[in-house]
């Protein structure tokens, strides 16, 4: 696909929600930004290099040396997306990528700042899953493929390293799977639901099985792997006691 979507992405919150993602809309986000986009050609992936709960404030309000907003989206560690702005943001810097204007990506790509220390070790499963799903939802909306899901370090000619610790080839494969809707991996939420179901369903069953084993093998034997039997059955197991009864009945019959 080579088409470009024209206009500001005032649909960001809706598109992310439709992808099953949790969204926090910041007041005034539709009118926030440094002017309007020319057209939209992709998504640029970043990390905040902070890792705290207030990282979004720098993205929205900026730094002493750079006026905010610094990205359209902030991805929290729990997988929630904060929608900061719909207009142009200062996040790309100088660089290039096939099909993108050199040194001018701010007017053509959406920036996602994912909350992270920036050493590549603190990504959460929920965050990575939402990162891929969010990129896929945006790219699908603007008619682009995962080829236009780009790490800041891949684009930048200024020595950027973000998002550290993410293999972008693998990341793009998963993003494309979500775009195509084919063989997409389960979300972290779906995995948790399955784990909760198994725990709720199999926990009592596992306990019941142990109880049954104890009844068959003897008191306090369910985890010991022994067959000491029950005192009231002459230290026989239930099976041995039944066998003894069967033998006695046969003798009586003869």
């Amino acid at each position: 696909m080579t088409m470009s979507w024209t206009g500001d992405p005032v649909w960001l919150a809706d598109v992310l929600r439709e992808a099953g993602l949790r969204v926090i809309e910041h007041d005034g986000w539709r009118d926030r930004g440094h002017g309007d986009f020319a057209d939209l050609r992709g998504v640029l992936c970043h990390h905040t290099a902070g890792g705290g709960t207030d990282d979004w404030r720098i993205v929205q309000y900026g730094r002493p040396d750079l006026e905010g907003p610094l990205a359209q989206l902030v991805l929290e560690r729990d997988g929630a997306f904060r929608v900061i702005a719909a207009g142009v943001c200062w996040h790309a810097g100088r660089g290039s990528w096939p099909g993108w204007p050199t040194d001018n990506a701010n007017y053509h790509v959406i920036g996602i700042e994912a909350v992270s220390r920036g050493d590549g070790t603190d990504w959460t499963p929920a965050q990575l899953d939402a990162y891929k799903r969010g990129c896929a939802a945006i790219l699908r909306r603007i008619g682009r493929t995962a080829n236009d899901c780009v790490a800041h370090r891949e684009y930048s000619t200024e020595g950027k390293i973000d998002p550290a610790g993410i293999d972008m080839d693998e990341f793009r494969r998963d993003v494309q799977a979500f775009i195509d809707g084919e063989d997409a991996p389960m979300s972290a939420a779906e995995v948790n639901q399955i784990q909760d179901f198994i725990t709720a369903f199999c926990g009592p069953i596992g306990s019941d099985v142990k109880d049954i084993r104890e009844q068959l093998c003897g008191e306090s034997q369910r985890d010991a792997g022994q067959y000491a039997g029950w005192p009231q059955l002459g230290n026989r197991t239930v099976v041995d006691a039944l066998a003894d009864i069967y033998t006695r009945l046969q003798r009586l019959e003869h």
Side-chain angles (χ1 to χ4, degrees):
M1 292 179 286
T2 58
M3 62 179 286
S4 294
W5 195 94
T6 302
D8 290 344
V10 294
W11 37 258
L12 272 173
D14 292 336
V15 163
L16 292 172
R17 282 199 188 93
E18 288 169 4
L21 299 165
R22 189 158 68 89
V23 175
I24 303 168
E25 297 184 59
H26 286 221
D27 289 344
W29 71 267
R30 289 180 179 83
D31 300 314
R32 186 175 293 118
H34 306 285
D36 297 324
F37 279 92
D39 59 20
L40 287 171
R41 305 189 188 186
V43 178
L44 199 57
C45 300
H46 306 263
H47 65 230
T48 60
T53 57
D54 289 332
D55 285 14
W56 68 267
R57 295 182 181 277
I58 296 175
V59 177
Q60 180 165 322
Y61 299 115
R63 312 186 301 259
D65 62 326
L66 191 61
E67 181 185 2
L70 305 183
Q72 285 77 24
L73 299 168
V74 172
L75 174 57
E76 295 288 351
R77 290 171 53 75
D78 64 358
F81 274 97
R82 293 183 179 273
V83 188
I84 303 293
V88 171
C89 297
W90 306 145
H91 65 95
R94 292 190 296 273
S96 64
W97 185 258
W100 295 6
T102 299
D103 297 335
N104 194 31
N106 285 327
Y107 287 86
H108 299 273
V109 301
I110 291 171
I112 302 177
E113 286 280 359
V115 175
S116 169
R117 290 191 300 268
D119 61 7
T121 65
D122 62 344
W123 298 111
T124 69
Q127 188 179 30
L128 289 173
D129 178 71
Y131 215 162
K132 297 169 187 177
R133 291 176 183 268
C135 289
I138 292 167
L139 291 166
R140 186 188 304 113
R141 180 66 175 80
I142 64 176
R144 294 274 173 161
T145 71
N147 290 332
D148 287 301
C149 178
V150 183
H152 196 195
R153 67 176 182 269
E154 294 177 306
Y155 165 83
S156 178
T157 56
E158 300 176 297
K160 301 299 183 180
I161 66 168
D162 52 324
I166 293 180
D167 182 329
M168 288 306 295
D169 290 332
E170 178 182 330
F171 191 91
R172 276 187 283 268
R173 283 194 295 271
D174 289 345
V175 168
Q176 190 61 51
F178 285 125
I179 292 173
D180 296 338
E182 299 175 358
D183 300 321
M186 287 190 296
S187 69
E190 289 169 333
V191 171
N192 287 336
Q193 287 176 349
I194 292 173
Q195 290 175 334
D196 291 342
F197 174 80
I198 291 172
T199 299
F201 185 73
C202 294
I205 290 178
S207 178
D208 291 344
V209 169
K210 290 182 176 182
D211 290 341
I212 292 169
R213 189 165 66 225
E214 180 171 277
Q215 287 296 316
L216 292 172
C217 300
E219 187 176 19
S220 301
Q221 299 301 306
R222 68 184 203 174
D223 293 318
Q226 302 297 320
Y227 304 93
W230 290 90
Q232 57 268 50
L233 296 177
N235 292 324
R236 297 181 181 92
T237 67
V238 171
V239 173
D240 287 338
L242 286 172
D244 182 63
I245 292 170
Y246 178 74
T247 300
R248 292 171 184 268
L249 284 174
Q250 282 188 316
R251 289 173 183 169
L252 288 174
E253 290 175 355
H254 295 296

